[in-house]
Amino acid sequence: MSVLITGTGLYTPSQIISNDELVESYNKFVDIYNLENDKAIKSGELEALVYSDSDFIKKVSGIEQRFVLDKEGILDPKRMRPSLKERPNEEISIQAEIAVDACRQAMERAGRSSDDIDAVICGCANLQRAYPAIAIEIQESL
């Protein structure tokens, strides 16, 4: 029996954050952090955070923009991270939903249907929940 990769897919979030937007929010975060920790910074317990700039980000990473799921949460200087709604176990996880989108693209490009797929293998570094396995969610959704 042969194992074939006959199509590929890629999920890309619709929201985009530019370096300028990220730097503006981050620098506001720096102001808040330094103000809230002024006493500890002055006593030497903590180091003050320093501003960033778009040119620095591009120079060290090559990144000019990033695609994200929650622009508003990431750009909120009081959060600086996504604010993703937790989903109940009865609802497909965020990671599985993303993978299903990419899988559908791959199946379309390959001229295949879910009936042509014998197994789904998925690896993730971070999980919304420990069970069911994301691959099972993807398989069931397809």
Side-chain angles (χ1 to χ4, degrees), residues 63-113:
I63 296 171
E64 295 182 39
Q65 65 181 14
R66 67 251 341 115
F67 296 90
V68 299
L69 293 176
D70 178 40
K71 182 175 181 170
E72 185 178 332
I74 295 169
L75 293 180
D76 179 348
K78 294 180 182 171
R79 282 191 62 80
M80 298 300 297
R81 63 183 184 278
S83 179
L84 303 174
K85 179 182 154 264
E86 190 167 333
R87 295 180 176 187
N89 288 341
E90 300 77 38
E91 194 175 332
I92 190 169
S93 68
I94 294 168
Q95 293 97 333
E97 182 179 290
I98 289 169
V100 167
D101 183 88
C103 288
R104 291 186 198 278
Q105 290 175 38
M107 290 186 311
E108 185 177 323
R109 289 180 180 147
R112 308 275 179 168
S113 75

Side-chain angles (χ1 to χ4, degrees), residues 34-49:
N34 289 344
L35 185 62
E36 288 176 350
N37 294 286
D38 184 57
K39 190 174 181 177
I41 291 168
K42 285 180 179 172
S43 73
E45 274 181 66
L46 289 176
E47 285 191 37
L49 296 180

Side-chain angles (χ1 to χ4, degrees), residues 20-72:
D20 289 340
E21 291 173 301
L22 187 60
V23 164
E24 181 181 345
S25 290
Y26 176 75
N27 289 345
K28 286 178 184 174
F29 167 78
V30 167
D31 288 337
I32 293 167
Y33 176 89
N34 289 344
L35 185 62
E36 288 176 350
N37 294 286
D38 184 57
K39 190 174 181 177
I41 291 168
K42 285 180 179 172
S43 73
E45 274 181 66
L46 289 176
E47 285 191 37
L49 296 180
V50 297
Y51 287 154
S52 188
D53 67 72
S54 297
D55 292 334
F56 172 78
I57 294 172
K58 185 175 178 185
K59 180 181 178 183
V60 299
S61 69
I63 296 171
E64 295 182 39
Q65 65 181 14
R66 67 251 341 115
F67 296 90
V68 299
L69 293 176
D70 178 40
K71 182 175 181 170
E72 185 178 332

Side-chain angles (χ1 to χ4, degrees), residues 12 20 26 129 139:
T12 304
D20 289 340
Y26 176 75
R129 53 182 168 244
Q139 187 171 334

